[in-house]
Amino acid sequence: MSGPATDVFAPATLGPITLRNRVIKAATFEARSPAGAVTDDLIAYHRAPAAGGVGMTTVAYCAVAPEGRTARDQIVMRPDIVPDLTRLTDAIHAEGAKVCAQLGHAGPVANAASNGVAAISPSRMFSPLAMRATRRPHSAALSRVVADHARAAEVAVEAGFDGVELHFAHNYLVSAFLSPLLNRRRDDYGGSLVNRARLARRIAIAVREAVGDRVAVIAKLSMDDGVAGGLRLEESLQVGRWLQDDGALDALELTVGSSLLNPMFYFRGDAPRSEFARTFQPPLSWALSTAGRPFLRRYPYQDAYLLDHARQFRRELSMPLILLGGITTKATMDMAMREGFEFVAMARALLRDPSLLNRIRQDRDAASLCTHCNKCMVTIFERTHCVLTTEPVTLPDREFIGGSS
């Protein structure tokens, strides 16, 4: 679908909020919240792209429950950290941008050994992260997961977030339920697609009921797991139709890939296998060294690399869609607008240069400095950053009240 060009730098509505432009800083785990605390470092990480011109930045990853963390040093959304979260949202608002909290449950992607809490997945499976089996939750436990998402969304509202993004992607818990490969259940949450989509739909509706029209509600949805036997495009399209018909969401952000089985399918570019092997302890490091190629496959990078998949969603759905994947130039942004996407999202390009959007405003031919080496992927286990960046980001001094550091 194509239509008249929309100015990507013009203000735009997203549900009940208005963004100053149509560019969103996509969620990428920051690894700047030791012991799950909001830090000045985390605030600076999000202030930089906000000062650099994005319409909204997305804080990731905000777990809805302790077992929903991928590892222990992640924020769990709970009332006692509202003052510190408010300091974060105040800082972003002071730069003129909106701020969204990515809410989710890691499910089988959680490291139970790190968290000290058993990981859950649709069906029991061996977790190479924790070197132990996951736990299969019963229906009552899944109802608690739904309630956890609603409570986390209420915390986000109280802390001043403008939106919440529900993580329905990358084989985290909801995405794992959507996957016929990972979901081998025979109850109301397994088997048919309508059953496998039940958890996603219940969460979206519960969150909307909890927040009303106070904030935008987005879901990040995998279009294709990129794994044999996993969720593929045709089924994902149907899930998108159901989510649209349920009316709980203001937009879908479209992605692909599996953190468990094929992460490079959504990153594209170089596959940093040796760097990953050096990061982990044996036996996982040995496995990555000797057999890392099937897991960290190499997919050539190109701008707008998810466009072919996303176009099919654009043809099928009328709700707002956010195009992600290889959005690095003004020309690509303009193309996305012509194709009918309401917003675009950027991640690695802003990690390399948080001021990229302001540079593009001044020069439509400005180029991203990101080389797609993907070595930033490995830094999420210590402190997420671009390994090529040598100059520190300089931000103006501001005073933010609303919480303690």
Side-chain angles (χ1 to χ4, degrees):
M1 169 173 137
S2 61
T6 300
D7 182 3
V8 73
F9 288 120
T13 57
L14 176 57
I17 66 173
T18 300
L19 278 59
R20 63 185 175 186
N21 59 53
R22 295 172 180 268
V23 182
I24 296 170
K25 194 272 180 200
T28 49
F29 177 54
E30 305 93 349
R32 296 166 189 239
S33 53
V38 176
T39 62
D40 289 343
D41 197 21
L42 178 67
I43 292 171
Y45 179 94
H46 286 283
R47 276 189 67 200
V54 299
M56 182 166 72
T57 185
T58 310
V59 178
Y61 167 77
C62 302
V64 302
E67 82 279 1
R69 299 168 293 175
T70 61
R72 66 178 174 270
D73 285 334
Q74 286 183 330
I75 291 171
V76 178
M77 296 295 275
R78 58 194 191 278
D80 64 283
I81 65 167
V82 165
D84 289 326
L85 288 170
T86 302
R87 199 166 67 90
L88 168 62
T89 59
D90 283 348
I92 305 310
H93 292 151
E95 302 295 349
K98 303 295 187 185
V99 55
C100 180
Q102 185 188 65
L103 306 179
H105 193 298
V109 181
N111 186 337
S114 173
N115 289 340
V117 186
I120 64 174
S121 57
S123 306
R124 278 177 60 86
M125 58 177 284
F126 177 76
S127 168
L129 293 170
M131 299 301 292
R132 65 188 68 171
T134 62
R135 180 171 54 84
R136 176 191 182 277
H138 48 72
S139 295
L142 293 176
S143 291
R144 287 196 296 272
V145 169
V146 173
D148 286 341
H149 279 79
R151 282 193 293 269
E154 290 173 336
V155 169
V157 172
E158 187 178 354
F161 284 91
D162 305 285
V164 293
E165 178 184 276
L166 309 177
H167 200 324
F168 293 174
H170 305 157
N171 286 163
Y172 281 50
L173 185 64
V174 173
S175 174
F177 267 85
L178 292 172
S179 166
L181 178 66
L182 300 177
N183 184 349
R184 302 182 300 279
R185 300 170 72 102
R186 297 178 181 271
D187 62 0
D188 289 346
Y189 290 91
S192 68
L193 181 61
V194 70
N195 283 352
R196 286 184 277 123
R198 191 179 306 277
L199 184 61
R201 298 174 72 182
R202 286 189 64 193
I203 287 171
I205 291 169
V207 167
R208 175 56 76 190
E209 290 176 348
V211 305
D213 61 358
R214 292 176 291 172
V215 298
V217 181
I218 304 163
K220 189 169 194 172
L221 180 68
S222 281
M223 299 180 286
D224 187 337
D225 287 346
V227 176
L231 184 74
R232 305 315 291 262
L233 184 63
E234 183 178 343
E235 286 195 326
S236 183
L237 276 169
Q238 180 58 63
V239 174
R241 293 186 198 103
W242 287 330
L243 291 170
Q244 174 177 271
D245 293 346
D246 289 342
L249 300 176
D250 294 306
L252 284 176
E253 182 176 278
L254 303 172
T255 185
V256 298
S258 166
S259 293
L260 281 176
L261 302 169
N262 192 3
M264 296 309 302
F265 194 53
Y266 60 88
F267 277 102
R268 310 294 168 95
D270 295 342
R273 300 185 190 104
S274 59
E275 288 83 1
F276 263 106
R278 289 195 296 268
T279 298
F280 292 99
Q281 297 296 317
L284 189 53
S285 61
W286 300 335
L288 286 169
S289 295
T290 59
R293 190 174 297 274
F295 174 64
L296 291 172
R297 310 171 201 177
R298 191 181 189 285
Y299 294 92
Y301 173 87
Q302 63 182 39
D303 278 0
Y305 54 80
L306 297 185
L307 180 60
D308 286 345
H309 278 72
R311 273 180 176 144
Q312 299 186 60
F313 277 76
R314 184 68 290 166
R315 283 195 291 265
E316 295 281 343
L317 304 181
S318 59
M319 71 184 301
L321 299 178
I322 303 166
L323 182 66
L324 175 69
I327 309 297
T328 63
T329 67
K330 181 62 162 58
T332 306
M333 296 176 194
D334 290 344
M335 177 274 300
M337 298 298 104
R338 288 193 302 271
E339 293 270 350
F341 296 93
E342 284 78 8
F343 299 90
V344 293
M346 311 169 73
R348 286 170 293 176
L350 291 174
L351 189 62
R352 178 68 175 92
D353 178 10
S355 65
L356 174 60
L357 202 60
N358 281 342
R359 289 203 294 115
I360 290 175
R361 273 183 176 276
Q362 296 165 4
D363 175 9
R364 65 163 289 121
D365 296 322
S368 168
L369 303 176
C370 179
T371 65
H372 320 295
C373 69
N374 290 321
K375 292 179 181 179
C376 58
M377 291 174 62
V378 186
T379 71
I380 68 169
F381 301 105
E382 47 182 37
R383 179 178 176 273
T384 305
H385 66 280
C386 174
V387 301
L388 302 178
T389 301
T390 56
E391 295 293 328
V393 176
T394 303
L395 294 167
D397 290 333
R398 299 190 193 277
E399 186 100 10
F400 303 110
I401 59 176
S404 60
S405 59

